[in-house]
Amino acid sequence: MNKNKTVMAVLSSGVAAIAVLTGTAHAQSVQQLINAVPLTSTEETEAAASPEGNQVYGKAFFAQYTMSNAEDMLRRIPGVTAILDSIGTNNQQRGLGAGGDQLLIGGKRMASKSTDVTATLRRIRATTVDHVELIRGTSAGTGVLSEGLIVNIVLKPGTSATGGGSGNFELNQRFDNEGWHDVDGLVSWSSSLGRLTYTLGYERNLFTPTGNTPSGGEGGDYTIKFHDEVYYYPNGVVQQVRPQTWERQHHKNIFTAQSVYNFEDGSQLNLNFLYQPLPIKAADKTTYTAFTTAGVQVPGQTFEIHQNYSIKQVFEVGSEYERKIGPGTFDIIVIHSRTPAKTKDYRNRTNLMTGFVAEVSKNSNKQNTGEDVIRAQYSWPVLKGMTLTLGAEGAENTLNQRNQIYFDYNKDGKQDIGPENTAFVHEKRGEVFAIHNWTISNQATLESSVSYEFANITTHFPAIPLQNYGFLKPRFDFRYNLTPADRLRFKVERTISQLNFNNFVPIYNTVDSRLDPGNARIAPEKTWNYETSIEHRLAKDQGTMQARLFYKDITDHIDRGPFGSPVGGLPQSAPINIPKASDLGIELTSSTRLTLLGLPNAQVTGRYQYQDSKVIDPFTGRERPIYNLWDQEFSLGFRHDLTKLKGSYGFLYLATDGITTTSDIRTLQLLKRGPRLSVFAEKALPKDLTLRFEIYNLTGSHESSYRALYNVSQANGAVNRTETFQETRDIRYVIRLRGKF
């Protein structure tokens, strides 16, 4: 019973923190949650659950594990690991509006769009966390819209995400199965000065991104890969055999600073700073052998080197100020970010018989993108069970580019400097919105919102000096508890996509060594999202299962299509708006503990998604799937905490089924991707140290492709050549030592 009182005291003390951070109404709901679910001696390691389906994981739940930071804590909660693996940053999100599953710290999102959320969690000491809250009803009191689950890390009263007077470090020995090895890591320090708490952090990361979703990361998630490519003549005879080795050096340095200042009147100011220089050196080396149309080998071989050097710098400053005014809370967020980037691309070809070196292509590009966002809102309770939020958001997005063009004018194998192409895109955007949260009963909640967005875009195209847009965006999200363990959800929402300004400006195509034009008439995609789901929570916090059915009705879908006048007698292409597209699918997710098998501290997380997407190809007039969407996606994760041994181990398996289609004026590529498997094991050591071993990509991330190149266009039908490739990537290893100081 003494333990029960202790647990109750810990959870109750967290209510005071929530009341300040998320509003009185929300705090009262959490207090009711705690009162409604008294913990007994057999329930101390389970989450407390409210009639609304919200859950609180308190001190007693986490006490059974050995943890050093907030990420360790969240990965013990069923269903949250999948969110961590997919959340990344929200840099592609349009403004600061609604997103998918939301991760909050102290009831707030980070005042940042570029900071890696998982890295931030690793800088939060586990000892500063009071409890973790999963919110499944409306987002009243949190100040954010959420399309799914809200995970709120509630800090101990009087502390912030930065803690005080303590440090964390990670030291990583990284290597792969091809002989590459190096050392990187991170260090952070947290302290306080009166009402100010702060964290300073530095991270050096030498691994290129490793994909945590079935689609496979950011496209450059390898250190070394092998690419066996074969070209064929139209009659099917081999034209060239092209074994390739690709290497990529990635040196990401991340400097961060976060601070929180608590004023005497209860208001709070958060500041975030990020500086991230990212130099990348990529090179692929190809030795190829040519054959005649009769299949006879051409004497000699050719050696080709393609090199790409880039350095991108991310600079971002964000701030958030919150204050209680009258019956409600006023909140304002300001973000300023700039991302300058320089890229040089070279392709040289050497005839191994004659020794002659020809410059096949050359390009130099300088680009600077920026975003400035300000969002202000006021939330207050209007009636019992109802809150209303009114607000506005303004943003300015910019892209400025200088592209140096090179041509072999005199056909001597040397690329001569040509004209310099300059381009710019500036967008000014505003939005006004209203959000209404209604707790109808313990069984039903409704979140409805409406916003109106207006924007104008100026570009470097003289014929299109200005474009104006206006969009109405309604949203209805109804959730109903059939039983305390079963929840139905219905959602209807209209969304507007984030514009990629690279679609507006000329971009150098490194694969086919050409400059592709931009299209200043591109408009954002508009999507009506229809979704219904049912979620079942297993008894005694043994996990959750969910089935979700969705349909997306898309207008002005963005993909490549015919564009402009022919150049050199050949038709051109660029990004265009395709009138209609659709995506129908079902997603099944599950996260369960294996208590029935005698493994209460083991959990299995699974996800299966099937989708049928359709769009009319603008080059052929035939129906095909939407670019970069797989027919089926599957993931299976396992984690087992050996609490007596203070260790854990697990794996993550990701797979896709189907073929993705990339269509352009003179190319058609079909890509198939194999599964990938990652495993880990970790052990707590004395003096608050943790040793962890990770293996990424045990399956080699196998890919295969078919690519057809046409003489004039796909519509013309005459094939110049076809290509196939088989590709594997390196297996990566990490030995990680994590500790505190």
Side-chain angles (χ1 to χ4, degrees), residues 47 263 274 277 344 359 541 553-554:
F263 296 89
L274 170 71
K344 293 184 178 181
E359 294 181 342
D541 192 37
D553 184 9
I554 307 168

Side-chain angles (χ1 to χ4, degrees), residues 284-568:
D284 56 273
K285 303 173 183 179
T286 307
T287 301
Y288 63 88
T289 304
F291 297 85
T292 67
T293 54
V296 179
Q297 181 177 334
V298 177
Q301 288 184 319
T302 301
F303 181 65
E304 185 175 280
I305 296 181
H306 174 214
Q307 301 175 80
N308 186 282
Y309 302 93
S310 68
I311 180 167
K312 181 170 71 172
Q313 301 178 71
V314 180
F315 175 81
E316 182 180 88
V317 178
S319 65
E320 179 178 17
Y321 176 73
E322 181 186 80
R323 181 173 182 173
K324 294 283 291 182
I325 300 177
T329 301
F330 174 75
D331 185 89
I332 183 169
I333 298 178
V334 179
I335 293 179
H336 168 84
S337 67
R338 292 294 182 270
T339 306
K342 298 179 181 179
T343 302
K344 293 184 178 181
D345 191 271
Y346 308 88
R347 190 184 299 272
N348 298 332
R349 189 174 296 162
T350 303
N351 187 309
L352 296 180
M353 177 176 291
T354 64
F356 179 73
V357 179
E359 294 181 342
V360 179
S361 66
K362 188 176 180 180
N363 181 257
S364 177
N365 181 279
K366 295 181 180 180
Q367 192 177 92
N368 194 341
T369 58
E371 181 174 24
D372 297 296
V373 184
I374 180 170
R375 181 182 178 94
Q377 63 183 43
Y378 181 73
S379 302
W380 75 101
V382 288
L383 293 172
K384 183 179 179 180
M386 294 187 187
T387 61
L388 182 64
T389 300
L390 299 178
E393 178 175 301
E396 183 174 16
N397 296 277
T398 60
L399 181 149
N400 292 278
Q401 176 178 278
R402 298 176 65 184
N403 201 3
Q404 183 63 63
I405 312 298
Y406 296 84
F407 294 105
D408 185 2
Y409 290 105
N410 55 11
K411 307 300 181 183
D412 63 349
K414 302 296 181 182
Q415 295 290 314
D416 305 308
I417 191 168
E420 184 179 70
N421 178 280
T422 60
F424 69 86
V425 185
H426 293 175
E427 178 190 37
K428 293 182 178 180
R429 182 176 57 82
E431 182 178 1
V432 292
F433 59 88
I435 306 169
H436 179 255
N437 288 282
W438 183 14
T439 301
I440 303 171
S441 66
N442 286 340
Q443 287 74 40
T445 61
L446 174 65
E447 183 171 86
S448 55
S449 67
V450 62
S451 62
Y452 183 76
E453 176 183 322
F454 47 93
N456 65 67
I457 298 177
T458 57
T459 68
H460 61 286
F461 292 88
I464 316 171
L466 179 68
Q467 294 188 85
N468 294 299
Y469 298 110
F471 308 108
L472 187 66
K473 300 184 294 185
R475 183 178 191 267
F476 301 93
D477 189 340
F478 178 75
R479 310 182 192 195
Y480 184 80
N481 293 333
L482 294 170
T483 70
D486 298 288
R487 174 187 294 272
L488 276 175
R489 182 186 181 201
F490 303 94
K491 186 185 78 169
V492 179
E493 178 182 25
R494 190 184 192 224
T495 60
I496 306 299
S497 73
Q498 174 71 45
L499 282 169
N500 183 350
F501 287 166
N502 283 322
N503 290 331
F504 286 72
V505 301
I507 294 295
Y508 186 73
N509 185 325
T510 60
V511 175
D512 297 317
S513 301
R514 69 170 191 257
L515 189 69
D516 289 334
N519 180 7
R521 295 189 184 277
I522 284 287
E525 286 187 357
K526 298 90 176 171
T527 304
W528 279 102
N529 296 282
Y530 304 92
E531 181 179 310
T532 182
S533 64
I534 183 168
E535 179 189 48
H536 175 70
R537 294 187 307 281
L538 301 176
K540 296 184 178 181
D541 192 37
Q542 293 302 296
T544 62
M545 295 182 289
Q546 178 178 273
R548 182 174 70 97
L549 179 67
F550 61 89
Y551 177 73
K552 299 179 181 181
D553 184 9
I554 307 168
T555 57
D556 288 331
H557 174 62
I558 298 175
D559 205 335
R560 297 195 69 85
F563 179 81
S565 303
V567 176

Side-chain angles (χ1 to χ4, degrees), residues 444-741:
T445 61
L446 174 65
E447 183 171 86
S448 55
S449 67
V450 62
S451 62
Y452 183 76
E453 176 183 322
F454 47 93
N456 65 67
I457 298 177
T458 57
T459 68
H460 61 286
F461 292 88
I464 316 171
L466 179 68
Q467 294 188 85
N468 294 299
Y469 298 110
F471 308 108
L472 187 66
K473 300 184 294 185
R475 183 178 191 267
F476 301 93
D477 189 340
F478 178 75
R479 310 182 192 195
Y480 184 80
N481 293 333
L482 294 170
T483 70
D486 298 288
R487 174 187 294 272
L488 276 175
R489 182 186 181 201
F490 303 94
K491 186 185 78 169
V492 179
E493 178 182 25
R494 190 184 192 224
T495 60
I496 306 299
S497 73
Q498 174 71 45
L499 282 169
N500 183 350
F501 287 166
N502 283 322
N503 290 331
F504 286 72
V505 301
I507 294 295
Y508 186 73
N509 185 325
T510 60
V511 175
D512 297 317
S513 301
R514 69 170 191 257
L515 189 69
D516 289 334
N519 180 7
R521 295 189 184 277
I522 284 287
E525 286 187 357
K526 298 90 176 171
T527 304
W528 279 102
N529 296 282
Y530 304 92
E531 181 179 310
T532 182
S533 64
I534 183 168
E535 179 189 48
H536 175 70
R537 294 187 307 281
L538 301 176
K540 296 184 178 181
D541 192 37
Q542 293 302 296
T544 62
M545 295 182 289
Q546 178 178 273
R548 182 174 70 97
L549 179 67
F550 61 89
Y551 177 73
K552 299 179 181 181
D553 184 9
I554 307 168
T555 57
D556 288 331
H557 174 62
I558 298 175
D559 205 335
R560 297 195 69 85
F563 179 81
S565 303
V567 176
L570 296 175
Q572 301 300 298
S573 68
I576 67 167
N577 289 113
I578 302 173
K580 298 287 291 183
S582 65
D583 185 19
L584 172 67
I586 185 171
E587 180 186 48
L588 306 175
T589 58
S590 174
S591 180
T592 58
R593 301 185 189 278
L594 300 183
T595 304
L596 293 178
L597 301 180
L599 301 172
N601 290 315
Q603 60 174 293
V604 175
T605 301
R607 174 181 177 268
Y608 171 79
Q609 178 173 288
Y610 171 82
Q611 56 189 339
D612 180 21
S613 64
K614 296 178 181 179
V615 66
I616 300 299
D617 190 291
F619 302 110
T620 65
R622 295 191 294 267
E623 187 178 88
R624 62 167 173 83
I626 293 176
Y627 165 73
N628 212 28
L629 291 184
W630 301 95
D631 294 342
Q632 299 182 77
E633 298 178 3
F634 174 77
S635 66
L636 180 66
F638 173 78
R639 181 188 182 96
H640 187 195
D641 285 284
L642 306 170
T643 54
K644 292 183 179 180
L645 298 177
K646 295 185 177 180
S648 60
Y649 66 94
F651 68 82
L652 177 63
Y653 177 84
L654 303 165
T656 60
D657 183 62
I659 296 174
T660 64
T661 303
T662 304
S663 181
D664 206 340
I665 187 73
R666 279 181 292 280
T667 60
L668 174 67
Q669 183 174 11
L670 308 176
L671 178 69
K672 187 175 181 64
R673 175 167 289 150
R676 60 175 61 192
L677 174 67
S678 301
V679 300
F680 79 92
E682 64 182 14
K683 176 71 170 65
L685 304 177
K687 298 183 178 181
D688 288 329
L689 296 174
T690 302
L691 186 65
R692 181 181 175 96
F693 179 59
E694 301 173 354
I695 306 177
Y696 297 102
N697 190 32
L698 269 169
T699 53
S701 294
H702 183 80
E703 291 185 0
S704 58
S705 169
Y706 168 85
R707 189 169 184 250
L709 283 76
Y710 296 83
N711 288 321
V712 178
S713 68
Q714 287 193 60
N716 177 272
V719 176
N720 180 291
R721 72 165 186 261
T722 58
E723 305 170 358
T724 63
F725 74 68
Q726 302 288 330
E727 180 177 291
T728 56
R729 307 183 184 189
D730 58 336
I731 302 173
R732 307 183 193 176
Y733 308 90
V734 182
I735 300 175
R736 172 173 294 139
L737 182 66
R738 180 184 296 165
K740 311 170 186 177
F741 61 91

